[in-house]
Amino acid sequence: MGPGRDVTLFDRFASAYERAMPAADRATLEAGLSRATRPIERVLDVGGGTGRASRALTATERIVVDAARGMLAEARTHGLDVAQGDATRLPVATDSVDAVVIVDALHHMPNHRAVVREAARVVRPGGVVVIREFNPETLRGGALVALERLVGFDSTFDTPHELAGLVKAAGLEPTVPETGFGYTVVGVATENDSPIIEER
């Protein structure tokens, strides 16, 4: 199965994306990471593109995972470790990272439930999954949905409530520390966490 349309577009316009996008908000990301109950030393930046989120963090080891080679080439020029991969099949072992961040990227991924469950798989107990997204129910969110469709993206946006539900279903303890157009959902992996198995 080839790359989706969103991946192809990001691959083609990686350098323009890097020039056009603002830096990630360090304070917001660090606030999410602070909910962990273990030290945050190894962070996986899923759908991290050019590494905007990784560059805002102070963790010792930051690995950008993205499906678009062009985006990873840009991230590499900033001295970041990179790995090409699918967010539903991350190229790292179970319980091998202290945190996963997914910043402004989940809406470009086809299967949100599978992405969140995979993020939960790779996070160690006490670690966190921090997801930054845009709320389609806000005025600006509705405009963003329309704009992304116009550009040609296959984006799908979740509300904070919907995304918190996916985080809980993945076996993480969810909180929504920030709401509005841009919002944050944090999932904490506890010792007793296990994904909820759905009846088929």
Side-chain angles (χ1 to χ4, degrees), residues 95-182:
D95 295 345
S96 63
V97 301
D98 303 309
V100 171
V101 296
I102 307 174
V103 179
D104 306 344
L106 185 65
H107 59 274
H108 292 294
M109 301 173 186
N111 189 337
H112 297 182
R113 182 177 298 275
V115 171
V116 174
R117 288 173 72 92
E118 182 68 348
R121 177 187 71 80
V122 303
V123 172
R124 297 173 177 132
V128 289
V129 175
V130 179
I131 305 173
R132 286 279 301 152
E133 262 302 329
F134 301 106
N135 187 349
E137 293 185 330
T138 64
L139 187 60
R140 290 172 66 195
L144 179 61
V145 170
L147 177 62
E148 294 224 350
R149 287 186 182 143
L150 183 64
V151 170
F153 286 129
D154 291 326
S155 305
T156 304
F157 293 84
D158 297 308
T159 67
H161 177 75
E162 290 167 341
L163 185 50
L166 294 181
V167 167
K168 184 174 183 179
L172 303 173
E173 183 181 314
T175 59
V176 185
E178 181 187 11
T179 58
F181 165 58

Side-chain angles (χ1 to χ4, degrees), residues 54-70:
S54 289
R55 281 179 269 155
L57 301 176
T58 58
T60 306
E61 186 178 0
R62 297 159 294 164
I63 305 162
V64 179
V65 177
D66 203 282
R69 290 179 190 269

Side-chain angles (χ1 to χ4, degrees), residues 113 117 165 167-172 193-199:
R113 182 177 298 275
R117 288 173 72 92
V167 167
K168 184 174 183 179
L172 303 173
D193 283 337
S194 59
I196 296 170
I197 307 300
E198 296 180 342
E199 296 283 335

Side-chain angles (χ1 to χ4, degrees), residues 22-56:
D25 184 346
R26 173 177 294 176
T28 298
L29 293 175
E30 293 288 355
L33 295 177
S34 73
R35 293 177 180 260
T37 58
R38 64 175 301 117
I40 301 296
E41 296 173 354
R42 189 176 198 222
V43 177
L44 204 62
D45 183 1
V46 176
T50 61
R52 290 170 51 244
S54 289
R55 281 179 269 155

